[in-house]
Amino acid sequence: MSEEPEEIDDDEDEEAAEPSVTIEITGLSLYTHHGVEAAEREVGQRLIFDLSFDVGECDATVTDRVEDTIDYADVCQQVALAAQERSYKTLERLCSAVADRMIERYGAESVTVRAAKPEPPIPLPVEEVSVEVWKEGP
């Protein structure tokens, strides 16, 4: 007896063909007031943010209309608001707050946020310290 060839599910192939969109912002430099020490929070410092988030399907891949995609300037503004509206002791908590905002505001499926301190207040020569947080949306 010969085996019959497997049937191909056309619906599965169509779903796999749908483009998935990832938005990335790199090197967003913001002056913030975060840190463990009170002096660090009071004086403030520059942090560099990199973030990437998946929005899944995006109509702009078909329509080419700006209103069908994410406004990158708004993304940067939202990161700035999350980073500047309150002070956190840890970069972990700050990155988590930024990730939460991306999920809530843009419906991101997953988000990666990296915050780097280019001049960390430590007594050894270090180029930068950074923290990266990854979160999934609902």
Side-chain angles (χ1 to χ4, degrees), residues 1-131:
M1 297 187 114
S2 65
E3 290 185 30
E4 291 184 30
E6 282 187 40
E7 288 185 30
I8 297 174
D9 186 353
D10 289 336
D11 291 338
E12 235 177 74
D13 289 342
E14 286 177 22
E15 285 180 28
E18 290 293 323
S20 181
V21 174
T22 300
I23 305 295
E24 293 185 357
I25 307 290
T26 305
L28 176 59
S29 179
L30 299 171
Y31 197 80
T32 66
H33 295 271
H34 305 284
V36 175
E37 302 298 324
E40 192 178 13
R41 290 190 307 275
E42 186 177 321
V43 172
Q45 65 201 295
R46 185 170 60 97
L47 295 180
I48 309 296
F49 290 88
D50 298 330
L51 65 144
S52 172
F53 60 97
D54 297 323
V55 292
E57 293 181 27
C58 177
D59 290 343
T61 61
V62 175
T63 66
D64 195 32
R65 294 172 11 138
V66 173
E67 52 274 8
D68 289 338
T69 190
I70 304 291
D71 180 342
Y72 313 133
D74 187 58
V75 172
C76 292
Q77 186 62 39
Q78 293 304 314
V79 174
L81 288 171
Q84 295 171 336
E85 65 189 2
R86 66 168 290 190
S87 181
Y88 297 104
K89 291 181 181 174
T90 67
L91 290 180
E92 289 84 350
R93 182 64 193 110
L94 171 60
C95 288
S96 185
V98 171
D100 288 343
R101 189 168 291 225
M102 297 302 108
I103 291 167
E104 291 165 11
R105 185 164 181 96
Y106 306 109
E109 295 174 359
S110 66
V111 183
T112 301
V113 179
R114 179 181 185 272
K117 286 185 182 186
E119 299 163 4
I122 58 176
L124 295 169
V126 175
E127 190 173 305
E128 74 174 18
V129 296
S130 66
V131 166

